[in-house]
């Protein structure tokens, strides 16, 4: 028990001293705080003007933007929980919270787009005249707020699924606001009341297509799937190519969180046990070539466990 705890404690220390993890959290904490502040203020403004000019479109958009605030809070919560230190009861800490947050963000976006599409379909039957100029001005502010917030997360979205969830949520909303402005302008000019719901449907479709990847990937990681960026065949090939290794059994690769990958494997080595340098080289190579941080390998002369299909 105490040995496991010591290992957890050591791993926690390593996390604190690891140079790669020092700068990122502070930047994203600021990004989340700014993003949540901006979007909460925008929701308040939009709801007030929607109530003032009696615009269902603006009130609905304020509700939708409230889901953005929820999405950012989710992503931030996932990031912060993932940084909690491991303990004797949770030896991994809560790293998986970031995967859960990405999944919840994808579900939230898909539900929001479903409700937007439902609302739009209803409006084809009963077109609602829009209070053009007010709606366009408020939606214009929405473009600025959502684009600015999306840009805060752009840097992290390439490497971290949870950040990608926050980025997609914001970028999607900038698109919705842009659609409202264009539809509002054309409706004012030509009186096309059908254009507002048509544009809403088109945007909802675009965002659902964009979000589907996030939904699929986060679901895959929740079930301990091999992360998309890892070529399992190449990992197995590398381990089998090592001198003295006859076979690789029980190879498992999974995501501990949205930015940390773990690997366990049994290496069959009939000639005997290697020294620490051999194992250190494996760790180093897997880190440098495949970005796998948490490696545990067991070396045996004769396999004594039932080989896993993996």
């Amino acid at each position: 028990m105490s040995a496991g705890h010591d290992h957890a404690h050591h791993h926690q220390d390593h996390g604190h001293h690891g140079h790669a993890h020092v700068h990122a959290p502070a930047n994203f904490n600021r990004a989340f705080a700014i993003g949540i502040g901006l979007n909460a203020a925008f929701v308040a403004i939009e709801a007030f003007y929607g109530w003032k000019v009696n615009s269902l479109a603006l009130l609905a958009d304020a509700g939708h933007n409230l889901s953005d605030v929820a999405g950012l809070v989710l992503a931030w919560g996932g990031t912060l929980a993932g940084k909690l230190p491991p303990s004797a009861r949770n030896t991994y800490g809560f790293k998986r919270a970031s995967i859960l947050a990405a999944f919840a963000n994808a579900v939230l976006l898909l539900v929001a787009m479903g409700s937007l599409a439902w609302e739009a379909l209803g409006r084809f039957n009963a077109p609602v005249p829009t209070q053009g100029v007010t709606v366009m001005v408020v939606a214009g502010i929405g473009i600025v707020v959502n684009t600015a917030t999306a840009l805060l997360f752009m840097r992290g979205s390439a490497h971290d699924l949870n950040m990608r969830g926050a980025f997609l949520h914001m970028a999607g909303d900038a698109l919705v606001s842009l659609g409202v402005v264009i539809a509002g302008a054309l409706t004012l000019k030509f009186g096309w009341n059908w254009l507002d719901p048509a544009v809403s449907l088109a945007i909802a479709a675009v965002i659902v297509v964009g979000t589907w990847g996030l939904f699929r990937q986060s679901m895959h990681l929740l079930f301990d799937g091999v992360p998309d960026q890892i070529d399992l065949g190449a990992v197995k090939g590398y381990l089998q190519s090592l001198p003295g290794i006859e076979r690789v059994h029980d190879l498992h690769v999974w995501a501990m969180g949205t930015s940390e990958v773990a690997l366990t494997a049994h290496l069959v080595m009939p000639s005997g046990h290697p020294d620490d340098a051999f194992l250190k080289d494996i760790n180093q190579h897997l880190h440098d070539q495949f970005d796998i941080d948490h490696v545990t390998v067991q070396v045996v002369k004769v396999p004594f466990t039932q080989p896993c299909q993996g």
Side-chain angles (χ1 to χ4, degrees):
M1 179 70 175
S2 65
H5 185 66
D6 285 347
H7 171 70
H9 189 68
H10 165 72
H11 192 64
Q12 166 192 344
D13 285 351
H14 172 71
H16 278 306
H17 299 306
H19 186 67
H21 301 287
V22 173
H23 304 296
N27 290 344
F28 286 116
N29 279 340
R30 203 172 70 239
F32 279 120
I34 292 168
I36 289 168
L38 270 176
N39 280 276
F42 179 55
V43 166
I45 291 166
E46 204 172 23
F48 173 74
Y49 278 103
W51 166 74
K52 202 174 170 189
V53 300
N54 195 23
S55 162
L56 183 65
L58 275 185
L59 285 170
D61 202 45
H64 177 59
N65 278 304
L66 197 58
S67 85
D68 283 358
V69 178
L72 285 173
V73 169
L74 260 175
W76 198 6
T79 303
L80 293 176
K83 304 226 177 309
L84 289 172
S87 68
R89 274 188 60 72
N90 295 86
T91 55
Y92 272 144
F94 294 87
K95 292 185 192 298
R96 188 159 292 205
S98 57
I99 301 175
L100 205 53
F103 178 71
N105 233 325
V107 171
L108 193 66
L109 253 176
L110 290 172
V111 168
M113 289 305 111
S115 64
L116 182 68
W118 184 256
E119 174 75 14
L121 286 170
R123 291 203 169 192
F124 277 120
N125 301 329
V128 180
T130 50
Q131 289 82 357
V133 180
T134 306
V135 173
M136 284 166 64
V137 169
V138 176
I141 298 168
I143 296 173
V144 176
V145 168
N146 290 312
T147 304
T149 314
L151 289 173
L152 292 173
F153 297 102
M154 199 163 180
R155 187 169 55 84
S157 69
H159 310 292
D160 187 323
L161 202 62
N162 187 30
M163 296 297 167
R164 197 171 139 221
F167 170 75
L168 271 176
H169 216 135
M170 293 297 126
D173 262 28
L175 259 181
V176 171
S177 299
L178 181 64
V180 169
V181 171
I182 293 168
L186 291 172
T187 304
L188 268 180
K189 191 165 167 57
F190 301 109
W192 295 340
N193 280 337
W194 55 267
L195 194 65
D196 186 53
V199 168
S200 298
L201 270 183
I203 289 168
V206 168
I207 294 171
V208 165
V209 169
T211 307
W212 192 253
L214 179 73
F215 177 75
R216 186 192 59 75
Q217 270 182 289
S218 53
M219 172 88 90
H220 178 68
L221 295 187
L222 276 178
F223 286 95
D224 286 330
V226 178
D228 281 4
Q229 75 275 18
I230 304 283
D231 180 348
L232 191 66
V235 172
K236 190 168 188 175
Y238 158 69
L239 291 171
Q240 280 177 332
S241 73
L242 291 166
I245 301 297
E246 191 181 88
R247 280 198 311 284
V248 177
H249 283 183
D250 243 354
L251 174 61
H252 298 282
V253 179
W254 72 99
M256 291 161 69
T258 51
S259 58
E260 207 168 330
V261 180
L263 173 149
T264 58
H266 292 182
L267 306 180
V268 182
M269 195 174 191
S271 59
H273 284 273
D275 56 9
D276 283 3
F278 181 82
L279 297 172
K280 192 178 172 192
D281 280 350
I282 292 177
N283 270 266
Q284 194 63 47
H285 186 88
L286 288 171
H287 177 268
D288 295 348
Q289 284 295 110
F290 300 102
D291 214 9
I292 298 173
D293 303 301
H294 196 97
V295 176
T296 308
V297 291
Q298 176 175 303
V299 181
V300 294
K301 284 185 180 181
V302 179
F304 53 82
T305 56
Q306 194 66 32
C308 206
Q309 283 305 307

